[in-house]
Amino acid sequence: MRYTIKKLTQADITLAKQLIEAWHTDDGATQVIYPREKYLAKLLTKKSFHAYVAMVGNKVVGGLTAYEMEMFDTEETEMFLFEIGVNKEARQKGIATALIEALKQTCYQQHIAIIFVGTSMDNEAAKKLYAKTGGSLEITPFYTYELK
């Protein structure tokens, strides 16, 4: 399977929507509700936000999003890989690895030395991917506050 990796810009709203649809569909959603295009364009212009898609032809088959986080106690920035996913039919083809490598290249260029990502302890596929791409497991629980 031939694929390309593309970093999204504010001109790539259609691709951003395709990625959102792919993720929601993969999660079993029957209806996808998209953010407004103005919101997506604004997000895609931010230096601290990174979105990559994997494409086969003109179809998005996967992608990732990540956020730069400036540290308080040191003059450093770390990267939080927030979400990554590849459509079922495109898995096991090296796409997720290529997406992470693209993010790592951005980090090298911007002198960001740490990428961190969370996953559930029972997500064996994610843990295998992160180890394969150079990640090391740290047992640091994340707590979520839903403020609705």
Side-chain angles (χ1 to χ4, degrees):
M1 174 179 286
R2 293 187 59 122
Y3 60 86
T4 57
I5 304 296
K6 176 176 178 32
K7 183 170 186 190
L8 298 184
T9 69
Q10 71 184 48
D12 296 315
I13 301 300
T14 301
L15 296 177
K17 285 182 163 184
Q18 284 183 33
L19 178 58
I20 292 166
E21 181 176 347
W23 282 346
H24 285 259
T25 302
D26 192 53
D27 287 343
T30 56
Q31 181 181 5
V32 179
I33 299 172
Y34 302 96
R36 290 175 293 126
E37 288 188 5
K38 184 177 181 180
Y39 173 86
L40 287 173
K42 181 180 176 185
L43 183 61
L44 290 168
T45 63
K46 291 186 176 190
K47 178 193 172 298
S48 61
F49 177 74
H50 304 271
Y52 295 85
V53 293
M55 301 180 65
V56 173
N58 61 358
K59 181 184 177 193
V60 172
V61 297
L64 71 72
T65 58
Y67 298 84
E68 292 180 27
M69 302 182 71
E70 295 176 355
M71 299 295 101
F72 174 70
D73 58 343
T74 63
E75 293 183 25
E76 296 177 350
T77 299
E78 295 181 2
M79 186 72 76
F80 176 44
L81 193 170
F82 182 72
E83 189 164 9
I84 185 169
V86 176
N87 294 2
K88 287 181 178 136
E89 70 275 3
R91 291 183 186 155
Q92 301 299 314
K93 310 276 191 257
I95 293 173
T97 298
L99 287 163
I100 290 173
E101 290 303 321
L103 181 63
K104 287 166 72 174
Q105 285 304 311
T106 295
C107 290
Y108 292 136
Q109 292 166 1
Q110 295 183 202
H111 307 289
I112 296 172
I114 294 175
I115 298 172
F116 64 100
V117 59
T119 191
S120 58
M121 289 306 293
D122 63 346
N123 189 339
E124 295 302 323
K127 293 188 320 186
K128 183 178 175 183
L129 169 66
Y130 302 144
K132 177 178 134 183
T133 55
S136 59
L137 178 62
E138 295 187 20
I139 307 299
T140 304
F142 279 77
Y143 290 84
T144 303
Y145 295 87
E146 292 193 28
L147 306 172
K148 294 182 182 179

